[in-house]
Amino acid sequence: MKIDLNGKNILVTGGAGDGLGQGICEAVDQSGGRVIVNDLTLEMAQRAAEKYKNAFAVEGDISKADDVSRMFDRIREECGIIHGVVNNAGIGLGKNAHEASETEVDRLYEVDVKGIWMVCRAFVKQLLASNEVGHIVNISSVQAFATMHRMALYAGAKSAVNGLTRGLAVELGQYNIRCNAVAPGLIYSEQSLSIIGKWTPDPVKWMEDHKSDHQCLNFFTSARDCGNVVVFLLSELSRSITGQTICVDNGTINLLYNNEYTS
Ligand SMILES: NC(=O)c1ccc[n+]([C@@H]2O[C@H](COP(=O)([O-])OP(=O)(O)OC[C@H]3O[C@@H](n4cnc5c(N)ncnc54)[C@H](O)[C@@H]3O)[C@@H](O)[C@H]2O)c1
C-alpha cells in the first residue's frame, strides 16, 4: 500500500518557504502529484519549483482577493483542475497582545485567516463548477491548543483555522470534499528562528532546550514529517477523515509539565 497522488494537481501556498513549504512540496512530488508552488513573487515560486520533478510556479498574495482569483485562473489555464489545496502560507507575530499594533494584527489575520478562507472559496467554487472532488489541508499550529507568552494573537489566528477546518468539513461533506488541518509543533525554519530571536539572543539553543524539555520524543519534528501527514490527508487512504486537526509535534501538547520536573 502506498500513497499515490499521480495525476493530481496540488496547490501549496507559501510553497517556496524553506520550512513547511519545502517539506510539503517534497512529499507531494514524491507521491507522484504535480506540485503547484505559490509564493509572493514568481521568482520565489520558480526557484522552489525547480527542485521538483513535476511542478508549476505561480505568484500571488493570498491575502488579496484579486491575486487569488488571478492565480486560480492561471492555474486553470496551465494545469487544468486543482485536486488538492494545502493552505501553508502564513506569517507569525511574536508579541504580547497588549503590545501589538493594529497594523500588525490586521496583517496577521489577513494572511493567516482571511487568506485561507479566500483560497478555500476559490477552490471550492472551481470544484463545484466543474463537478469535481478535491480536498483541503490547512496548516494550523500546536499554539491553537496550548500557547505561551507573546503568542496570544497567533494562537487566536490558528484557532480560527481549526474552526474554519471543522466548519468547512460540515458544509462540504455533501460534495465529498474533505477539509482537515495539520498542526505542526516547533519546526526548524526561518520563521521559527526569527520569531524566537525576538526574545532570546540564541534561538538555536532555545530550540535545543525545547527538544529535550518540551516534547515526548527527543528529536525535532521535520517539515517533511508534516508533509507526509499532509499527503495522507490528500489521498484516498484518509477518505473517512474530515474536520480533524492532527498535531505533528513529537508529543508537545501531551506534556503537562516540563520533562525536567518529572523525569
Ligand atoms: N515553523 C514552525 O515551527 C511552525 C509551527 C507551526 C505552524 N507553522 C505554520 O506553517 C506554515 C509555514 O511556516 P514556516 O515556518 O515554514 O514559514 P516560512 O516563513 O519559512 O514560510 C512561509 C512562506 O509563505 C510565504 N507567504 C507569506 N505570506 C504570504 C502570502 N500572503 N501569500 C503567499 N505566500 C506567502 C512566504 O513568502 C514563505 O515562503 C505557516 O502557516 C506557519 O504558521 C510553522
Side-chain angles (χ1 to χ4, degrees):
M1 186 171 68
K2 76 180 188 60
I3 292 176
D4 185 3
L5 296 182
N6 241 298
K8 305 286 184 198
N9 288 320
I10 310 295
L11 169 64
V12 182
T13 68
D18 67 351
L20 268 296
Q22 180 163 318
I24 295 164
C25 289
E26 250 178 43
V28 170
D29 194 52
Q30 285 178 25
S31 37
R34 181 181 203 184
V35 198
I36 301 170
V37 184
N38 149 267
D39 217 293
L40 289 168
T41 68
L42 189 58
E43 199 197 353
M44 290 163 84
Q46 274 172 338
R47 212 178 319 121
E50 280 164 15
K51 293 185 258 180
Y52 309 112
K53 287 192 295 284
N54 188 8
F56 176 72
V58 66
E59 82 270 34
D61 179 337
I62 58 143
S63 71
K64 299 200 162 75
D66 287 351
D67 277 28
V68 172
S69 112
R70 212 174 310 122
M71 173 170 84
F72 272 79
D73 289 348
R74 173 113 182 85
I75 298 169
R76 185 74 212 234
E77 274 164 34
E78 295 294 327
C79 309
I81 197 88
I82 302 172
H83 306 96
V85 161
V86 187
N87 279 303
N88 165 69
I91 57 172
L93 176 64
K95 267 195 179 176
N96 287 322
H98 68 279
E99 288 163 340
S101 71
E102 192 177 349
T103 312
E104 287 171 326
V105 176
D106 281 347
R107 187 65 192 148
L108 178 72
Y109 280 76
E110 257 169 31
V111 178
D112 288 15
V113 183
K114 187 178 159 202
I116 292 192
W117 160 66
M118 289 199 295
V119 172
C120 289
R121 180 175 64 166
F123 177 50
V124 171
K125 281 189 171 170
Q126 185 209 70
L127 287 177
L128 297 185
S130 38
N131 219 8
E132 293 273 352
V133 169
H135 308 299
I136 299 166
V137 180
N138 296 324
I139 303 301
S140 175
S141 167
V142 286
Q143 299 280 344
F145 296 91
T147 193
M148 56 188 270
H149 290 263
R150 293 168 289 265
M151 287 291 176
L153 293 161
Y154 180 76
K158 292 300 188 182
S159 300
V161 172
N162 293 2
L164 189 62
T165 301
R166 271 193 299 274
L168 287 175
V170 171
E171 293 176 2
L172 301 175
Q174 62 186 310
Y175 308 112
N176 206 19
I177 299 171
R178 295 184 290 107
C179 180
N180 291 291
V182 164
L186 187 60
I187 308 286
Y188 238 106
S189 79
E190 266 177 42
Q191 192 185 110
S192 310
L193 290 170
S194 90
I195 290 174
I196 296 163
K198 287 185 180 153
W199 65 77
T200 165
D202 192 348
V204 173
K205 178 174 183 308
W206 193 94
M207 289 190 74
E208 285 294 331
D209 291 345
H210 179 283
K211 182 179 69 174
S212 54
D213 294 346
H214 298 283
Q215 303 185 157
C216 299
L217 301 169
N218 191 21
F219 57 89
F220 283 118
T221 304
S222 71
R224 182 56 193 270
D225 293 326
C226 298
N228 291 344
V229 178
V230 167
V231 292
F232 165 69
L233 291 171
L234 290 170
S235 77
E236 287 315 295
L237 292 180
S238 61
R239 68 192 280 266
S240 290
I241 303 177
T242 194
Q244 299 298 310
T245 299
I246 299 180
C247 291
V248 182
D249 68 339
N250 284 357
T252 299
I253 62 157
N254 300 319
L255 287 173
L256 185 56
Y257 295 107
N258 182 330
N259 282 330
E260 221 180 293
Y261 289 164
T262 52
S263 57

